[in-house]
Amino acid sequence: MAWKKPTDFKKDSKQVGEILESAKKLHMVTDVKKAIFQAIMMSDDYLHAYEQLMHLNLKKTQEREIVRVLLQCCIAEKTYNPFYYYLSTKLLTDINFKYTFKYALWDYIKSIEKLEIQ
């Protein structure tokens, strides 16, 4: 089943435009990443975010992008945000997301090792 864009949000278009601009700044250029980012950012709480993400009807390979977008959001924050923790915990109830988190974190750790200290 193909994914659906989140069209059921009842937010004003100005807010949607700001969110999509933020997604662009975080290098989320694919439609799937934008839709995931929009679902996360426009949610009232982590349960609402989880429901919105599940209603995107992503394919298994596209579901992996949820974890990557979530990690990018965490990294972009300047301070700790418990919202991401709770959403991650909810996602980790699914075994597929556990493996995706594991591999995505490994990829981030590998990229840190390649950084040069000046």
Side-chain angles (χ1 to χ4, degrees):
M1 200 182 277
W3 68 281
K4 297 179 199 170
K5 289 187 179 179
T7 55
D8 60 341
F9 293 115
K10 295 177 176 60
K11 309 286 183 180
D12 62 354
S13 61
K14 181 180 178 185
Q15 186 180 13
V16 172
E18 291 171 357
I19 288 173
L20 292 177
E21 186 64 33
S22 296
K24 190 176 181 181
K25 288 179 184 176
L26 292 173
H27 307 292
M28 296 181 198
V29 293
T30 66
D31 289 338
V32 173
K33 285 186 176 184
K34 286 179 192 176
I36 292 167
F37 185 75
Q38 186 176 354
I40 292 171
M41 293 298 134
M42 295 187 78
S43 300
D44 298 327
D45 60 12
Y46 78 96
L47 292 173
H48 185 236
Y50 180 78
E51 288 178 22
Q52 291 296 335
L53 291 169
M54 294 303 108
H55 286 302
L56 291 175
N57 293 325
L58 300 172
K59 296 176 184 174
K60 289 292 181 192
T61 55
Q62 292 173 325
E63 276 186 349
R64 295 178 190 146
E65 296 299 323
I66 293 173
V67 173
R68 291 185 183 101
V69 169
L70 188 58
L71 287 174
Q72 277 185 283
C73 291
C74 289
I75 291 168
E77 289 282 335
K78 297 198 184 325
T79 60
Y80 172 73
N81 188 340
F83 170 79
Y84 300 123
Y85 165 76
Y86 290 117
L87 181 54
S88 299
T89 302
K90 183 68 175 165
L91 289 169
L92 285 169
T93 60
D94 183 344
I95 190 79
N96 294 324
F97 284 115
K98 283 183 182 182
Y99 285 110
T100 304
F101 267 103
K102 183 171 146 179
Y103 292 123
L105 288 169
W106 279 350
D107 290 342
Y108 278 112
I109 290 169
K110 286 179 191 176
S111 69
I112 290 172
E113 290 175 354
K114 294 177 184 177
L115 293 175
E116 292 183 24
I117 299 174
Q118 298 178 350

